[in-house]
């Protein structure tokens, strides 16, 4: 384990947290914090609720909870594992809190969704495949390992893609979450080409700069991709959506040419009779937020 990571322990009454996410009734976060330390992580806002003043990505609290009694009473409920942490942080290999949750929910018929940047999820396929129609999603926003290393401390892109393929071959639904899309950097169509043969859903989400990390990302662009700085200022300082509108049309045309279903801001788990991935565009955050409030 990384000696720079501060590891703590918290005892909670339950790991089942009611969720206001439009896609799930419950959020399952077996850890507080996330050692993948993504520079663009929206979940860093959680720090103000945790009592931590350490830099995001440098602390992790391991959660312990009472055994889940009668898991069958949650049949039909959707549970998303990893909404404000990655349930497969490297430390999960030691503490097994995500695996404990999956063990305690065995025998239930919940709609299980796991979101991760790790291939450690493969360790738990024996448990995951026992749920009715589970889904595992990997965040992949580049094929450039150097850019990936600049942005996060998770496993390589190649390991994520390999895990996705193995999961698909095991009969488990998979999602490639191309997020966040960095304008001029994320190779959207190259990524789709790499994963489309073993992926059920492709979710597209734009880079949404907010909070304390906006200045960090803008400084990074200025230093590493200076030719893109005018574009980033146009998008993030002037709130110009032209880039996303053009990309939307390009993806729609790509989908048409490849006979893929393409929808905007829709239910993320649409029935898919084609055997090909469904591409779902989530560029318009304000509309998604409003949709979530109406649930």
């Amino acid at each position: 384990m990384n000696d720079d990571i501060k590891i703590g322990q918290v005892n909670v009454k339950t790991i089942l947290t009611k969720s206001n996410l439009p896609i799930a009734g419950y959020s399952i976060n077996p850890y507080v914090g996330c050692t993948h330390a993504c520079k663009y992580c929206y979940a860093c806002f959680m720090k103000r609720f945790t009592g931590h003043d350490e830099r995001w990505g440098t602390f992790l609290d391991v959660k312990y909870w009472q055994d889940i009694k009668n898991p069958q009473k949650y049949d039909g409920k959707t549970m998303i594992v990893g909404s404000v942490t990655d349930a497969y942080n490297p430390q999960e290999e030691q503490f097994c809190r995500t695996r404990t949750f999956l063990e305690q929910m065995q025998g239930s018929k919940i709609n299980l969704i796991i979101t991760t940047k790790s291939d450690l999820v493969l360790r738990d396929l024996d448990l995951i495949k026992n749920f009715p129609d589970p889904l595992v999603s990997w965040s992949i926003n580049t094929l450039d390992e150097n850019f990936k290393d600049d942005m996060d401390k998770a496993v390589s892109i190649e390991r994520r893609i390999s895990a996705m393929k193995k999961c698909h071959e095991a009969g488990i639904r998979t999602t490639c979450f191309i997020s966040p899309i960095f304008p001029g950097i994320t190779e959207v169509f190259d990524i789709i080409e790499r994963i489309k043969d073993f992926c059920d859903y492709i979710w597209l989400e734009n880079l949404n700069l907010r909070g304390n990390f906006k200045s960090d990302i803008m400084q990074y662009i200025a230093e590493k991709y200076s030719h893109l700085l005018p574009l980033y200022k146009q998008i993030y300082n002037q709130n110009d959506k032209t880039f996303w509108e053009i990309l939307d049309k390009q993806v729609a045309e790509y989908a048409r040419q490849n006979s893929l279903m393409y929808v905007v801001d829709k239910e993320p788990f649409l029935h898919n009779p084609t055997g090909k991935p469904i591409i779902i565009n989530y560029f318009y955050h304000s509309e998604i937020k409003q949709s979530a409030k109406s649930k």
Side-chain angles (χ1 to χ4, degrees), residues 158-285:
E158 288 304 313
R159 285 175 61 176
R160 298 180 208 180
I161 292 174
S162 176
M164 185 186 301
K165 185 175 182 180
K166 290 176 181 176
C167 208
H168 181 79
E169 290 170 347
I172 295 171
R173 290 186 302 160
T174 57
T175 292
C176 182
F177 193 16
I178 305 180
S179 170
I181 295 172
F182 276 71
I185 300 174
T186 299
E187 323 93 318
V188 172
F189 300 103
D190 291 342
I191 294 171
I192 294 174
E193 286 293 318
R194 280 292 308 275
I195 54 82
K196 66 181 182 180
D197 292 334
F198 41 87
C199 190
D200 296 281
Y201 304 96
I202 298 169
W203 300 339
L204 307 176
E205 184 180 44
N206 55 323
L207 173 66
N208 185 24
L209 293 185
R210 57 191 173 190
N212 296 331
F213 59 79
K214 177 178 179 179
S215 60
D216 293 338
I217 295 297
M218 293 296 279
Q219 182 178 347
Y220 171 83
I221 296 298
E223 293 175 357
K224 294 288 189 75
Y225 296 88
S226 58
H227 64 288
L228 292 176
L229 188 57
L231 174 62
Y232 277 69
K233 288 182 176 179
Q234 177 182 341
I235 296 171
Y236 297 107
N237 292 345
Q238 301 172 26
N239 196 31
D240 189 326
K241 294 182 172 61
T242 303
F243 177 87
W244 304 113
E245 292 167 352
I246 292 173
L247 182 56
D248 181 4
K249 293 177 181 177
Q250 291 173 338
V251 178
E253 177 60 19
Y254 172 90
R256 186 191 66 78
Q257 292 179 359
N258 290 273
S259 301
L260 300 177
M261 184 175 177
Y262 178 59
V263 294
V264 177
D265 291 347
K266 296 295 184 181
E267 163 62 42
F269 310 115
L270 295 169
H271 177 62
N272 185 358
T274 68
K276 296 181 178 181
I278 296 176
I279 305 176
I280 305 177
N281 170 340
Y282 291 119
F283 290 165
Y284 307 107
H285 286 267

